[in-house]
Structure formats: structure tokens, C-alpha cells
Amino acid sequence: MKRVLIILILFFISLSASAQLFTREKIKNIENFDKQRLSWGFYLGLNSYDYQFTYEQDQPDILVETSTGFSVGLVSNLRLNDYLDLRFEPGLFITTRNLQYDPVYFEGLEPNSSDLMREVKSTYVHFPLLLKVSTKRFNNFKPFIIGGVSAALNLSSNEENPDDNAAGQFRTKKNVLFYELGFGIDFYNQYFKFTPSIRGVFALNDELVRDEDPNSPWTGNVTTMKTRGVFLNFTFQ
């Protein structure tokens, strides 16, 4: 995930640098677009979710194998002034993570390959409330930073399942709270505004549902398991 984030940051830096090459004044596309009190749009994107673990005892880390997921959502934008906007961006985020356990967690037992691996599928309905802080518009470009808080409902959660890891069920909580930070660039085209952006999301609450056995090799050594992720969104307004 760190490698993906570095690549995306370099990509946006190059876009911003390219924009500065056009120093002479140009005809502005949809010049009055940002003067609207309310505006609407949608976004499509990619996501990469990870877990951050803290542990009770010093043992090998639980390794998280991430994958690239898909995101889709809506945008409602409330203009506060020339530089501030309040945004609500509900969306659907689909992802899968695989957890790989070291055999040391199963001391005294004889684990098989399925015991050492847990697949965690998540389908989040995401509800972020964000504050967008923009620079002054330069020709047909306008960089910004964005941040806020969000709540998510995990439709794939099996929190209420009575079976736990002893029966092959790795359980996660249904409700997750996040804070979010990101940046992007508004590009003003002739008929619409196109906005690529990068955002990091970080869970505030523990997402793990513990097994019945307090010494469970899958959950017994975990103090907290918090989601974190990177979003690459393409917004059309």
C-alpha cells in the first residue's frame, strides 16, 4: 500500500507541475461553475485496504495481503466561500484482504495451510463528511486538500455469526469510524469538471471480533485491528 501511495503522490505532483507550465492567461472553461451554492456529481475509483495490528505480546506480525478494489459513489457539494466547500460523498467500496499467520501462533498444535490463512471480504457503504480547502483557480486548474470524518457499514460483516475461527469464520465488526485526509486537482473542461484525487482513510475503532477462546491463535494476541486504506477517485461534476 505504501508503494501505491508513493506512486500516486508522484503522479499528482507531476500533474501540478505540468499545470504551472501554462503561465499565460487562458480562456476559462465553465467559469461560473464554482459560484453555484450546491453542485452534484459522481465518482469512480480504486481502493487498497490494509489492517494495522497492535499486539499483546511480541510475536511475528500477522501479514496482510492487499488487493485492488473498486469504488463508486455520489457527490454533493455545498459552497461555503471561494476557498471552502463542504462535501458529502456516500459510496460503495468493495475489497478483499488475506491474513497470513506465522506457525508460531499455533505452538503445541498442528495447523494446516487453511489455518494459517484467513480471507476477509469487505463491502463498505461509506458515508464521509469532508471539508475541501482549495487554492485560487489558475486558468483551468485548481489544487486542493480535503479531510474529514466518515462512518462505514460493512455489509460483509459476520459479527453476529456464532461460529468463530475454530469453525473457519474470521469475524469483523459491522460499524467502522474513520478520519480521512487527501488532496487532488480540479480540471475544468468545456462541459464539466474532472477531479482526480488521492485520499488516505484511517479507522478510529477496533474492527476485530474476538473468538470464544481467549487464547485463540487467531485473535488472542491481537490488541487492536484497525482498517486503513488508500483511495484513488475520479470525480465528474
Side-chain angles (χ1 to χ4, degrees):
M1 187 177 73
K2 291 181 181 178
R3 192 180 310 166
V4 172
L5 182 58
I6 291 171
I7 292 172
L8 294 177
I9 289 173
L10 292 175
F11 171 71
F12 276 97
I13 290 174
S14 67
L15 284 179
S16 182
S18 298
Q20 300 307 315
L21 294 176
F22 300 94
T23 55
R24 60 193 179 94
E25 194 72 18
K26 289 190 169 186
I27 296 174
K28 291 185 177 180
N29 295 326
I30 51 175
E31 188 170 1
N32 295 320
F33 185 92
D34 288 338
K35 295 180 181 179
Q36 303 175 83
R37 183 67 171 170
L38 287 170
S39 59
W40 315 91
F42 69 93
Y43 62 87
L44 303 172
L46 302 174
N47 64 68
S48 178
Y49 280 92
D50 195 358
Y51 282 123
Q52 182 178 36
F53 289 93
T54 59
Y55 302 96
E56 297 286 347
Q57 300 177 12
D58 186 15
Q59 289 186 323
D61 288 348
I62 301 170
L63 302 181
V64 184
E65 178 185 330
T66 64
S67 61
T68 302
F70 177 72
S71 314
V72 60
L74 301 174
V75 174
S76 59
N77 188 93
L78 174 65
R79 178 181 179 272
L80 302 178
N81 58 41
D82 289 342
Y83 303 102
L84 298 176
D85 296 271
L86 189 64
R87 295 169 74 91
F88 180 54
E89 300 185 357
L92 183 68
F93 293 73
I94 301 171
T95 189
T96 299
R97 286 159 282 191
N98 290 320
L99 307 183
Q100 181 69 51
Y101 287 82
D102 191 282
V104 72
Y105 280 92
F106 298 84
E107 186 177 359
L109 303 174
E110 295 183 4
N112 54 41
S113 58
S114 63
D115 291 327
L116 299 177
M117 177 73 73
R118 285 291 182 264
E119 182 182 57
V120 185
K121 294 184 177 180
S122 302
T123 303
Y124 294 108
V125 182
H126 204 65
F127 301 100
L129 185 63
L130 307 165
L131 182 66
K132 178 182 177 183
V133 183
S134 304
T135 67
K136 183 178 180 180
R137 176 172 170 174
F138 174 78
N139 289 332
N140 291 313
F141 304 91
K142 187 164 71 170
F144 64 87
I145 58 174
I146 193 167
V149 295
S150 57
L153 177 66
N154 186 359
L155 300 181
S156 299
S157 169
N158 51 2
E159 182 176 4
E160 305 300 328
N161 192 333
D163 293 330
D164 61 15
N165 278 289
Q169 295 294 317
F170 188 92
R171 298 178 296 177
T172 59
K173 294 179 181 177
K174 183 178 295 184
N175 299 302
V176 190
L177 298 175
F178 297 93
Y179 71 91
E180 308 190 13
L181 295 170
F183 62 93
I185 303 175
D186 289 329
F187 292 90
Y188 296 83
N189 297 302
Q190 189 172 358
Y191 301 108
F192 63 93
K193 183 168 70 173
F194 170 66
T195 305
S197 64
I198 299 173
R199 196 177 309 159
V201 295
F202 308 90
L204 296 170
N205 61 301
D206 181 20
E207 199 171 345
L208 180 65
V209 178
R210 268 71 183 175
D211 293 340
E212 289 287 332
D213 180 5
N215 298 315
S216 165
W218 296 278
T219 65
N221 192 44
V222 178
T223 305
T224 61
M225 182 186 78
K226 296 182 179 182
T227 287
R228 58 186 179 179
V230 175
F231 299 162
L232 174 60
N233 288 344
F234 300 98
T235 303
F236 302 83
Q237 289 180 269

